[in-house]
Amino acid sequence: MKAVLFLFALVCTLWQCVHAQIPSEQEQHVTSFFNSHGGSTSRHTNNWAVLVCSSRYWFNYRHMANALGMYRTVKRLGIPDSNIILMLADDTACNSRNKFPGCVYASAARDLDLYGDNIEVDYRGYEVTVENFIRVLTGRMDPSVPRSKRLLTDDRSNVFVYMTGHGGNEFLKFQDNEEISAFDIADAFEQMWQKKRYNEIFFMIDTCQANTMYSKFYSPNILATGSSELDENSYSHENDRDLGISVIDRFTHHILRFMEGVNKTSQATMQDLFNVYDYEKFMSHAGVRSDLFRRPLDQTYITDFFGGVSQAEVMSPPLSLSPSSNEGSEPENVPESELPVELDQSLDFTSWISSDTNATSGACTKARREHAECQGVGVDWTSSCSCRMGWE
């Protein structure tokens, strides 16, 4: 009897392994639907951003504007504050020399206040240190540190890391007090990879000799770009005569200008972004490093890093070992919403999405339980439910 039970368990285990490796027709049908509607080739299910202004003092106003400009962009494209770590000296908006108290502008026209009322600074002032930055990336935090100051990523997270400040050959200064080297960042990214803290990383840096900061990277799935080559400076873009100071750097200004044409449903790629790099605009040679990145740049959406659009993950149905005599019966004491749902392979997904609001609400309820956020691409479901799923 024991031998029979052992053989039965072995057969079931082998069947599960084979079934897990060979996609079913149902899975292929669903996957082909998403791919046919412009789905991303990324495996990520959530997005995070780490934005660092490593400078302080009034004369570095433009560096704070750089970081706040990126902050506004990633929020506009769907990454919530809960998934953004903002490190900012935060001494400019209320500086006594600021003629516009509580405001930070990135242009002399002062048509957009980047500071405003809807900003959450996670690390400010003297909290902006090399140690805290490395701890954020690697997750080596003191238990007393609140969740809002932690980078709670996993192996399905795409992480955008942006840094701006004063730097040189393979180093970036933090508040004129200490420096972080290219080796430090490379080793931190390797720790993240070993600890399964990211799926892909997009690293962007705006500083003098910026391209040297990613020269030591060696971990997989990292795409990097910088504003200037070795022995080149990164220059400011525009001066405000009333403030008497530069308000933004050239590289970041043109990146943000390009990003204004991108929305949550945009299919603009990273290659499209890199194609606008121009020495005449930047007055320096911006660089790109993609040898560690596994996907083609012309198939990598900008929203894979700057947006908050989650991807749909097709899961295999659970294996049922119940006797055939019990088929059709529902498990006892199991809520209806927890029961497995089978998809009709002949189902017209497009008509279902546009017409069946009850199914929409149920799908959103389930997604809200499984994911920290769900946001939409292409279909506006806000009229029928309180959240939005990422169908592409």
Side-chain angles (χ1 to χ4, degrees):
M1 184 63 182
K2 291 183 178 180
V4 174
L5 292 176
F6 174 78
L7 289 175
F8 176 74
L10 181 61
V11 170
C12 290
T13 302
L14 292 174
W15 187 89
Q16 281 184 302
C17 293
V18 173
H19 181 74
Q21 294 178 3
I22 303 177
S24 65
E25 293 183 6
Q26 185 183 61
E27 293 172 352
Q28 293 176 352
H29 181 70
V30 175
T31 302
S32 64
F33 167 77
F34 288 117
N35 291 338
S36 65
H37 286 71
S40 170
T41 58
S42 175
R43 294 175 58 254
H44 78 288
T45 57
N46 56 92
N47 290 80
W48 290 76
V50 180
L51 313 176
V52 182
C53 169
S54 65
S55 301
R56 64 182 299 115
Y57 308 122
W58 173 251
F59 53 83
N60 291 318
Y61 182 106
R62 67 187 186 278
H63 294 155
M64 183 170 174
N66 290 346
L68 289 175
M70 286 295 174
Y71 174 79
R72 172 185 174 272
T73 296
V74 296
K75 282 192 66 174
R76 178 178 63 83
L77 293 178
I79 302 182
D81 269 314
S82 60
N83 288 30
I84 301 175
I85 302 296
L86 179 60
M87 306 182 75
L88 208 63
D90 202 22
D91 60 351
T92 299
C94 297
N95 193 288
S96 59
R97 286 173 284 189
N98 191 350
K99 294 183 64 175
F100 311 97
C103 300
V104 175
Y105 297 102
S107 69
R110 295 187 290 276
D111 50 356
L112 178 63
D113 179 15
L114 295 176
Y115 204 74
D117 300 325
N118 189 25
I119 176 175
E120 293 184 14
V121 182
D122 300 290
Y123 293 82
R124 67 176 71 240
Y126 290 107
E127 290 182 319
V128 183
T129 64
V130 172
E131 178 183 353
N132 283 340
F133 175 64
I134 296 297
R135 287 186 178 279
V136 165
L137 294 180
T138 60
R140 299 177 181 272
M141 311 292 288
D142 188 271
S144 63
V145 176
R147 291 176 61 87
S148 61
K149 287 189 169 188
R150 296 172 181 260
L151 188 69
L152 303 175
T153 54
D154 54 36
D155 61 347
R156 304 302 293 272
S157 303
N158 275 11
V159 184
F160 171 49
V161 180
Y162 174 82
M163 305 185 75
T164 182
H166 291 290
N169 185 5
E170 298 182 1
F171 74 89
L172 178 70
K173 292 198 297 184
F174 269 64
Q175 303 195 12
D176 287 336
N177 184 51
E178 56 182 343
E179 300 172 353
I180 188 171
S181 72
F183 294 95
D184 295 330
I185 300 178
D187 290 341
F189 285 166
E190 176 62 17
Q191 286 189 50
M192 293 179 68
W193 175 253
Q194 294 293 339
K195 297 170 69 175
K196 301 184 183 300
R197 288 179 56 81
Y198 75 85
N199 173 56
E200 293 172 336
I201 289 178
F202 178 43
F203 177 79
M204 178 183 288
I205 184 167
D206 188 354
T207 185
C208 297
Q209 308 185 61
N211 300 353
T212 63
M213 289 300 293
Y214 56 71
S215 62
K216 306 303 179 184
F217 291 175
Y218 55 93
S219 305
N221 297 352
I222 298 179
L223 177 63
T225 185
S227 59
S228 54
E229 291 182 345
L230 178 66
D231 296 328
E232 280 188 341
N233 294 325
S234 291
Y235 295 97
S236 61
H237 173 69
E238 189 174 8
N239 296 328
D240 188 318
R241 295 182 181 273
D242 290 326
L243 295 175
I245 203 166
S246 300
V247 292
I248 196 170
D249 284 324
R250 283 180 174 270
F251 178 76
T252 298
H253 167 78
H254 289 288
I255 295 295
L256 294 177
R257 185 174 181 180
F258 175 87
M259 295 301 297
E260 286 300 306
V262 177
N263 56 41
K264 295 179 182 180
T265 62
S266 174
Q267 295 190 10
T269 66
M270 299 303 294
Q271 188 63 61
D272 295 330
L273 171 62
F274 298 147
N275 286 341
V276 305
Y277 284 12
D278 186 358
Y279 178 84
E280 299 299 324
K281 295 178 181 178
F282 298 161
M283 296 182 64
S284 61
H285 294 89
V288 177
R289 182 179 177 186
S290 59
D291 59 298
L292 300 172
F293 197 65
R294 62 181 173 82
R295 291 193 290 151
L297 298 183
D298 58 359
Q299 297 179 23
T300 303
Y301 292 160
I302 289 177
T303 52
D304 286 347
F305 295 100
F306 287 86
V309 180
S310 299
Q311 308 302 319
E313 182 178 3
V314 181
M315 304 294 290
S316 300
L319 175 64
S320 176
L321 299 179
S322 59
S324 58
S325 59
N326 292 332
E327 291 183 0
S329 62
E330 296 182 359
E332 296 182 1
N333 301 324
V334 177
E336 182 179 354
S337 59
E338 299 293 337
L339 296 176
V341 179
E342 295 187 0
L343 294 177
D344 182 358
Q345 297 186 20
S346 63
L347 180 64
D348 184 350
F349 285 95
T350 306
S351 62
W352 175 69
I353 291 174
S354 60
S355 63
D356 191 348
T357 58
N358 290 330
T360 298
S361 178
C364 287
T365 300
K366 184 175 182 180
R368 197 160 51 243
R369 182 172 61 252
E370 296 177 346
H371 300 283
E373 63 178 287
C374 45
Q375 305 193 3
V377 174
V379 181
D380 186 2
W381 289 359
T382 54
S383 60
S384 59
C385 60
S386 59
C387 71
R388 304 172 68 189
M389 285 189 63
W391 297 80
E392 289 186 317

